[in-house]
Amino acid sequence: MSASLDILASAGLWAAVLRIATPLVFATLGALLCERAGVLNLGIEGIMTFGAMAGWLAVFNGADLWVGFLAAALSGAAFGLLHALMTVPLGLSQHVTGLGITLFASSLSYYVFRLVVPLQSTPPTIEPFQPVAVPGLSDLPFVGPALFSQTTPTYLALALALLLAWILGRTPLGLAIRLTGENPHAAEAQGLDPVAIRIGAVVAGSALMGMGGAFLTLSAFNSFFPTMVQGRGWIAIALVVFAAWRPGRAVVGALLFALFDAYQLRLQTVIGKAVPYQLFLMMPYLLSIAALCVTARRARVPQALMQPFLRGER
């Protein structure tokens, strides 16, 4: 018992929580933006995989790390545009299209990677983002090394969460996005273009998903392998429901899942020999499902989510 409490009191644990949560924050914000406009984007897993590959490949070929992040965002936006064009003006199934995007983007990422990088026994590496010490804060006991010694993309993810919360809650653009997700015909009656709003939201949200993938190769790790996303996209879809489509709660949900994950990794070293390691691997997912069951009943789903908008029909 004391050993498990010592883990929770470790600054290293909380530093790992922020690091693990960062790609989930990017991905969850992207999925949330799509869904607030009324479009379900199940292509998130593939978009993150391609973003991870595109960002890493750009840096591997000599680009700056931030250029790699931009490449990942643009690649995510491109897949988002493809998803939006098929589901918004054409009205195709958002489920089927999203799953198709995931399969296509995941396969294409590995194909492109192998075209450019020949098969090697050891994956090639790059120099990733390094932790940035915040002056005056990084030296604080416990809090400093836990919260203020992260890489720059982590701070960017938290800043984007604040920005998205402000846009959705306090700006005319946010009101237009929310109205489109609730009642696109009412939005059209107000002189808005629900088709353009939905396409723009999906493109912007998919760009965030691509950035979430890029964090894995440009900050958390220093190389690319096709399975590195490891279901984070599907976790992000669940976190949107947990967050009740609110950016602030999305960050809390990402941090909660990351806490479960970081805690089980350290708990394995303490009591791992007495308990099968598979139970530890299951723990963050089981606890996340439990939290989702508690909160999902009170979540208010955007009324027009997954409903195609056709002009002139109600």
Side-chain angles (χ1 to χ4, degrees), residues 34 122 129 312:
C34 294
T122 303
F129 283 99

Side-chain angles (χ1 to χ4, degrees), residues 29 49 73 108 116 119-120 137 141 182 237 267-268 273 311:
L29 292 177
T49 302
L108 184 62
V116 180
L119 185 62
Q120 300 179 13
L137 297 176
E182 295 290 339
I237 294 292
L267 198 60
Q268 284 189 52
K273 293 182 179 180
R311 298 186 189 278

Side-chain angles (χ1 to χ4, degrees), residues 26-120:
F26 278 118
T28 305
L29 292 177
L32 185 149
L33 180 57
C34 294
E35 294 186 25
R36 288 304 292 263
V39 180
L40 177 68
N41 190 349
L42 294 182
I44 180 170
E45 185 83 2
I47 291 172
M48 289 184 71
T49 302
F50 197 90
M53 186 279 301
W56 181 89
L57 201 57
V59 176
F60 181 71
N61 285 286
D64 181 76
L65 287 168
W66 286 113
V67 174
F69 243 81
L70 178 61
L74 292 176
S75 65
F79 282 108
L81 180 61
L82 177 61
H83 179 66
L85 291 177
M86 288 192 290
T87 57
V88 180
L90 297 181
L92 301 181
S93 170
Q94 295 178 13
H95 292 94
V96 175
T97 303
L99 293 174
I101 293 291
T102 283
L103 295 173
F104 174 55
S106 299
S107 301
L108 184 62
S109 63
Y110 186 60
Y111 176 71
V112 173
F113 178 72
R114 281 302 172 213
L115 279 180
V116 180
V117 181
L119 185 62
Q120 300 179 13

Side-chain angles (χ1 to χ4, degrees), residues 132-153:
V132 176
V134 179
L137 297 176
S138 298
D139 296 331
L140 294 174
F142 187 82
V143 177
L147 304 181
F148 299 109
S149 296
Q150 301 289 331
T151 60
T152 311

Side-chain angles (χ1 to χ4, degrees), residues 108-261:
L108 184 62
S109 63
Y110 186 60
Y111 176 71
V112 173
F113 178 72
R114 281 302 172 213
L115 279 180
V116 180
V117 181
L119 185 62
Q120 300 179 13
S121 58
T122 303
T125 60
I126 61 168
E127 185 65 29
F129 283 99
Q130 299 300 314
V132 176
V134 179
L137 297 176
S138 298
D139 296 331
L140 294 174
F142 187 82
V143 177
L147 304 181
F148 299 109
S149 296
Q150 301 289 331
T151 60
T152 311
T154 295
Y155 302 125
L156 174 63
L158 298 177
L160 287 175
L162 294 174
L163 177 63
L164 184 59
W166 176 74
I167 290 175
L168 289 176
R170 301 296 181 118
T171 68
L173 174 60
L175 177 60
I177 293 172
R178 289 186 285 115
L179 181 59
T180 300
E182 295 290 339
N183 191 334
H185 295 285
E188 186 182 36
Q190 295 296 320
L192 302 172
D193 187 351
V195 172
I197 292 172
R198 283 187 167 184
I199 291 176
V202 174
V203 169
S206 299
L208 289 173
M209 297 172 190
M211 293 168 66
F215 177 85
L216 297 174
T217 50
L218 303 184
S219 183
F221 307 104
N222 60 359
S223 60
F224 170 79
F225 49 95
T227 59
M228 70 186 314
V229 176
Q230 293 183 330
R232 288 179 175 87
W234 308 119
I235 292 296
I237 294 292
L239 288 177
V240 173
V241 181
F242 172 84
W245 289 268
R246 298 177 183 175
R249 289 183 61 173
V251 174
V252 173
L255 291 171
L256 186 62
F257 178 85
L259 173 60
F260 296 154
D261 198 11

